[in-house]
Amino acid sequence: MKVLEVAVIGSGPAGLYTAEALVKHAAALEGPDWPVRVRVDVYDRLPTPYGLVRYGVAPDHKSIKSIAEYLRRVLESPDVRFLGGVHLGEDVTRDDLLSAYDAVVYATGAMRDRRLGIPGEDLPGSYAATDFVNWYCGHPDVGPGTFILDAESVAVIGVGNVAVDVARILARDPADLHSTDVPQPVLEALQASKVREVHMIGRRGPAHAKFTTKELRELGELPGVEVIVPAAEADPDAFDGTGQGASLAESDRRVRGNMVVIRKWAAGERADGAAAGEGAETAGGPQDGPQRTLTIRFWLRPVEITGTDRVTGVVLERTRLDGSGAFQGTGELETLDAQLVLRSVGYQSVPLDGVPFDERNAVVPNAAGRVLGPDGRPLPGEYVAGWLKRGPTGVIGTNKSDAAETVRSLLADLAGVPAGADAPLPRPGVLRYPDATAPPAGSRVEALEQALARRGIRPVTYDVWLRVEEAEAELARSLGRGERVKLHGRAALLAACWPVRDDSAGHGTARDDSAGHGTARDDSAGDDIVSGASVSGDSVG
Ligand code: NAP
């Protein structure tokens, strides 16, 4: 049976749904050359799998986090291997991958925050929401002490679901997070938080806000938190000369749902129907009234973040849509006092070394997942999936159908389906496989493994990652908290991966974090890389 070797770069939902679809769809294909067995190596720059499911989903969203249980089964497939702590562009090059594998699928997501482009954006106290999310999720790129919540008032710029997540984590009683996997230093910082007011700022109206109703409604269900929306700004007609907002509030199900919730808050009701402040239990008791307020504002855009040594506020300009639908500032300004500003205005993908990148749209140019070269034609053997393919939109599940499309393109190219007159893609022979001149795929992958070992790179295999899971479960037990508590910081993760032990063979003991990106570099690791592969129960030959 033919074996197709595929590298998937990124072990978040897009990468793992791709790996799953590759294995499943290839096995189901019929034809003279089929089935083809597909072996997938899933690389990640981090030593941990699951991407945004681990480092993006808020700790109190347990049901969304349970997607990791589904993705775990993909990594446990005998045809899939995890190679964590291997950074494309630093530890391994695009050429390395293209020489070793029949196809490469890039699925690295969107790691960078979009910028506001206003004065004061880089003042201390002004952060990308991605930094704050990374911090409360325990991402190894952001240290446990990054945020000290000594601000009384926080401005969150943007009204998407990430803004809702950060506003909720800031506003909610940290006691609710005790049984979650939130890292202990983060829980302690939230317990010591001085935050009393959270302001979420939308530059357009309530009908244009990107958040979803379920997530929005949850804000009104937080004990001890009063949600406030100024009545004038909750009116979809106000500041909108086109009537577009009002018609969206009728025609679009999500917007309709959002407006029901927003109107209740504007009328001074809690989402559960109680009057504001009523039944809002606090740590000090219900009689104390709301402990924190969460104010949602619309039709205001930030024009400056103020402060000299650190953030003291945000200058906001009233906006409107004129009769022709043009979005404009009115010149009317107000200053919001805030000692912390979190810019939650969307994520962006970053270019991968050597891989084509459309800077304008911050995606890899592609047609149904086939990476397109500068001449607009598909490059042999290169594919893309997830946010890197379509931009940072949709929920986690959106990546499943997105990955399926990319895999359909890849397998169609493998089959060499002739192009129809009205369908320039797929084109026969676009995939690098089968290539009569190339050595057998397995030996090419082995050669890459040996090259990595020579560079001192020791990938974190799935079985090694399981040691992190065990350490996190143990930490939860020792703290008397839930099922798991995340280890925070790269050093803690790598220490769990490769505990220092007295091992006369010298395997698995050396760690060096100097690479700064989660790869264990070990000069004596030359033979570990192959044994690491066999640990995962897979063969590379
Ligand atoms: P998003 O949904 O695109 O929202 C970005 C927000 O930033 C919008 O309100 C946008 O306003 C605003 N914005 C953009 N540029 C701005 C500027 N210069 N000044 C002021 N405001 C600006 O992005 P996101 O919140 O980062 O979410 C990314 C994706 O992840 C979404 O698909 C989201 O649903 C998903 N997600 C889902 C969940 C969940 O399901 N629980 C949780 C987190 C994230 P405009 O509309 O005016 O551009």
Side-chain angles (χ1 to χ4, degrees), residues 114 116 159-162 165 203-204 210 215 344-346 393-394:
R114 288 219 304 252
L116 284 173
V159 282
N161 276 336
V162 171
D165 276 349
R203 65 175 169 179
R204 296 188 293 154
K210 297 268 179 65
E215 278 64 30
S344 182
V345 295
T393 59

Side-chain angles (χ1 to χ4, degrees), residues 23-34:
V23 172
K24 275 193 185 163
H25 294 193
L29 286 172
E30 288 176 6
D33 291 334
W34 305 92

